[in-house]
Amino acid sequence: MTPFPFIFTVLASTFVSLAAGLLDADALTKQHFGPDAPWFRDRIPLFESSSQVLDEVYYYRWNVFRTHQRDLGPKGFITTEFLDNVGWQTNPWASLIDATGFHLREGRWCRDLRFKRDYAKFILSSDSNTHQFSEVLGDSVWQSYLVDGVAEDAIPLLDEMQAVYAGWNGTFDFGGFDTAKGLYWIQPLTDATEYTIASIDASGGKDGFRGGEAFRLTINSYQYANALAIANVADLKGDSALASSFRSRANAIKTLTQQSLWNTTLEHFIDRYKVNNEFAKYWDPIRGRELAGYVPWLHNLPDDDVKYSKSWSHLTNTSKFQGEHGLRTVEPSYQYYMRQYRYEGTKPECQWNGPVWPYQITQVLGALSNVLDHYPSSSGAVSNADYIRILTQYAQLHHNPERGNILDIEEDYNPDKGSPIVGLARSPHYFHSGYIDLILEGLVGIRPRADGNLEVHPTIDKTITYFRAERILYHGNDVAVQWDVDGARYGRAGLVVEVNGEVKAESASLERLVVPVPRRAPPAFESPIPVSVQLQANTPWPKGSVSEPNQNAAKVHSAIDGRIWFFPELPHGWDTPTGAGQELWYQLDFENPTSTSRAEIAFYKDAGEGFDAPESYRVQVSSTGTLADASGAKYGAAVANGITGASWNSTASKQVRLVFKPKDGQKVRLVEFKVFA
């Protein structure tokens, strides 16, 4: 075989020059990602700290991010919530919007801007079900801009941001705007939080999956943030009238949320009922505190008022929100706390009446970071130690005790045991929360700004004796932030901020540092579009077929569905019979002759299950109507649990066949056969 410098090596040369750092990118990416390290090598910021659990989960969450990038072909990449298909996704894309805010906040730190750029464009388009759940789509566009500084990505989405915002002012039966109260309301299920206090109590305690419409803190905080985002992007465009209009809307939501949804008895932001029935009366407050009451601070909605600090005292109280293994979604004093209503067969389904949800832990930690950073009058009941303790507790949940303590984030958890509650086939490596953003904006303290400054204010306590984050792309610059309490780790004590390889600010203490930075063009990178993606098994073209008879059609399809992951908990791809010296094949058929010239091939390896990369492989095309080995072919060594690259002379054909020979006694799992023009 002729060695082939596969696509990630080629792409690396197009990235902005990386400033020399102290961390070893090759060693770290190989340690955490194995043969798939080339995908991560130039795409992610590096991080280390004195906390091993925070470090290992940081890199695991980048693996989750990579795993959930689905290539749609001409429509670019989206980020999925579940690894595989679920019944309530938007087809044929497999998109869901309820976790998009987390996806884009994580993705804004990826050095390759394509993923967040493609996803934001798609999720705001007519292809997406933009009101399937409550959302922060507009705010996510703005939050991305604060990190990358690329106005050319944000401004073209302004019309779509307004259209999605206006949709909530319509006549949906699951959510909308109440003109009498000046606030938004929503069904908890549509808020992605079924079985909350509002929905359970509105059913008389009998159910809670649907119903329970309420003026919720979440939807009002989201619309506040979305309105401000529209105003800010309008300013970028130079439309001052539009900016003023949406700032007025945001201010109205802020005022009425504080006036109407702050409960002086419970000393917490809580919901009021929209539904009016025998169990719940319109405008009555719900009868207990929920973790969702902290969401306003995630979006900087509340004023900095000492009265609001009382809310934060509930967070760390072990008889209220603080469980042994995580934050409860409601307090144990609630009548229906942890009562299980819903099952799939005999297995529990999702509920928000007490379980620990990474979704809301992410929101609360983001809110807590904001309070500790710029709410001096409201933060008296909490400290940096609380942030690190809850973050560490959250990181520990990623080790699944029911799967041998492997890294595996799932849907929800028992607050007393720390084990997953739902644990269904769909649940492994669930992307319904954030973590990378909690490290880089929270712990490391990069507070993204729209002006020409880099602001750094870490949220750490004495247990974090050192950390370093580097290769952070901020407004087109390479940034590194370092803390060393005594200089023992890096040879330089204190807080240090580097921009493009030069120290620009430092302090002996953890004080706020602000550094002017130029706004530079983002790194150039290739954005190849595959011709091989079949979105669903019933999508007409292209099509996959295999050499073996009577194969599972869904498995055959999955090898060209634009998704790549190597987690064993949820197998993905087509599995061959055990090798016994025979050649097998996977064939891609097009409706019309299509030019192809290279492929990225993902093979799987698991010695315990008998899977390995093939002994050999080659590509055939049918330029003359008959399949023959591709001319000018160059084949990289077959890589398992990573990407194998192959190229050949550009050829127009209706068929491309991957022929391969499994090793004797081993099977091959073809995870993805991605072909490009």
Side-chain angles (χ1 to χ4, degrees), residues 327-341:
L327 299 176
R328 307 176 180 106
T329 43
V330 303
E331 297 176 0
S333 58
Y334 176 53
Q335 180 181 0
Y336 302 112
Y337 172 76
M338 295 295 289
R339 176 178 292 189
Q340 190 65 40
Y341 289 90

Side-chain angles (χ1 to χ4, degrees), residues 5 47 86 105 123 253 337 343 366 369 386 388 392 470 520 577 652:
F47 172 74
V86 293
R105 280 205 180 214
I123 208 70
I253 295 171
Y337 172 76
Y343 295 85
S369 176
D386 293 314
I388 294 300
T392 301
E470 66 182 38
R520 296 169 49 163

Side-chain angles (χ1 to χ4, degrees), residues 472-533:
I472 300 163
L473 189 66
Y474 181 80
H475 293 194
N477 301 277
D478 271 305
V479 168
V481 180
Q482 174 182 296
W483 166 254
D484 191 336
V485 68
D486 57 10
R489 181 70 176 183
Y490 304 117
R492 190 171 194 155
L495 181 64
V496 179
V497 176
E498 303 167 20
V499 179
N500 300 322
E502 297 181 6
V503 174
K504 293 295 185 180
E506 58 185 316
S507 172
S509 65
L510 289 165
E511 65 178 309
R512 189 184 310 272
L513 298 178
V514 179
V515 179
V517 292
R519 192 177 299 276
R520 296 169 49 163
F525 55 90
E526 300 290 338
S527 298
I529 298 173
V531 297
S532 54
V533 175

